[in-house]
């Protein structure tokens, strides 16, 4: 009877130990599962950020190539027009071209910072303030809102819209100058 008592005690003890180990393993499994779920959500978040940065990088790369092509074409136009200018104007234009080629990174950062501040100010006021004065009859373009997913991409579109606005204003001024020159020639 004593051996059966000891066997029962041992069997009951073993069952309790197995139950405790099972609960311990179950708690560990639950903890590891929570950590795995957390890592999976972090992985998907990182993939989302990667895609966002890839899209921004791609957009900036396209914008950089576009700007390089614009610079190449404008340089060609300057080279074609330069011989028709007087010697004094040629020297002025060549000097201006050389100064334009000497843009430093701190200057670029300053320009971008100023444009971002103006954009943020315009968002606060609810108005889109242009960087250059508008000719009569033109309305300011509305600037897109900067979000984290489109921050740099919209910055390039802001810069492009400002450049387009400056070109339109310059063309309007040159058109007015040409019109005045034609009137002066007719009156002679």
């Amino acid at each position: 009877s004593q051996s059966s008592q000891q066997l029962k005690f041992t069997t009951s003890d073993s069952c309790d130990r197995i139950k405790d180990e099972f609960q311990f393993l179950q708690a560990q499994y639950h903890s590891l599962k929570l950590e795995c779920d957390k890592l999976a959500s972090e992985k998907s978040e990182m993939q989302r950020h990667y895609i966002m940065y890839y899209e921004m990088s791609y957009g900036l790369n396209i914008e950089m190539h576009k700007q390089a092509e614009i610079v190449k074409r404008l340089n060609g136009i300057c080279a074609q027009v330069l011989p028709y200018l007087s010697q004094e104007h040629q020297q002025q234009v060549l000097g201006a071209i050389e100064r334009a080629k000497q843009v430093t990174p701190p200057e670029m950062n300053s320009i971008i910072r100023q444009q971002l501040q103006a954009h943020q100010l315009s968002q606060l006021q609810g108005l889109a303030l242009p960087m250059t004065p508008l000719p009569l009859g033109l309305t300011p373009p509305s600037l897109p809102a900067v979000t984290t997913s489109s921050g740099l991409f919209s910055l390039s579109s802001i810069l492009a819209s400002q450049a387009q606005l400056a070109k339109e204003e310059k063309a309007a001024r040159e058109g007015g100058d040409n019109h005045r020159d034609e009137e002066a020639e007719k009156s002679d």
Side-chain angles (χ1 to χ4, degrees):
S1 101
Q2 195 177 18
S3 67
S4 72
Q5 189 81 9
Q6 194 178 14
L7 187 61
K8 273 187 170 181
F9 181 71
T10 319
T11 307
S12 173
D13 228 8
S14 296
C15 285
D16 286 342
R17 268 185 299 176
I18 291 171
K19 183 179 175 186
D20 289 343
E21 286 179 22
F22 177 74
Q23 287 174 346
F24 174 74
L25 290 173
Q26 205 170 21
Q28 245 185 348
Y29 167 75
H30 182 68
S31 169
L32 289 173
K33 185 175 181 192
L34 287 176
E35 192 171 332
C36 183
D37 290 344
K38 180 182 169 189
L39 289 173
S41 68
E42 286 178 5
K43 176 187 170 190
S44 66
E45 184 71 15
M46 292 299 281
Q47 286 175 332
R48 194 175 63 77
H49 282 285
Y50 170 77
I51 290 170
M52 179 181 71
Y53 288 130
Y54 177 80
E55 288 173 349
M56 286 176 12
S57 171
Y58 182 75
L60 284 173
N61 193 18
I62 288 175
E63 186 65 26
M64 184 186 71
H65 285 292
K66 178 181 168 187
Q67 295 297 326
E69 183 63 25
I70 290 171
V71 166
K72 188 173 84 176
R73 290 179 184 187
L74 287 175
N75 201 16
I77 292 170
C78 288
Q80 287 176 345
V81 171
L82 199 60
Y84 297 111
L85 298 176
S86 68
Q87 192 65 28
E88 178 186 330
H89 284 108
Q90 284 183 9
Q91 294 304 320
Q92 289 175 351
V93 169
L94 287 173
I97 290 173
E98 285 306 312
R99 283 192 305 276
K101 289 179 182 178
Q102 304 298 326
V103 176
T104 62
E107 288 175 326
M108 286 302 299
N109 287 337
S110 172
I111 291 167
I112 291 171
R113 196 175 307 113
Q114 287 172 355
Q115 289 181 344
L116 282 175
Q117 287 171 351
H119 178 66
Q120 289 170 349
L121 180 64
S122 70
Q123 280 185 330
L124 290 175
Q125 294 174 345
L127 300 171
L129 298 176
M131 298 301 272
T132 55
L134 291 174
L136 293 176
L138 287 180
T139 58
S142 60
L143 299 176
V146 176
T147 63
T148 55
S149 63
S150 66
L152 292 175
F153 197 69
S154 66
L155 174 62
S156 64
S157 66
I158 290 169
L159 295 175
S161 68
Q162 293 300 327
Q164 180 64 29
L165 186 62
K167 277 195 258 181
E168 289 173 359
E169 180 182 352
K170 184 177 178 183
R173 277 187 287 161
E174 289 175 355
D177 291 343
N178 289 343
H179 185 67
R180 279 188 235 122
D181 291 343
E182 289 172 5
E183 286 179 5
E185 287 176 6
K186 287 179 183 176
S187 64
D188 289 338

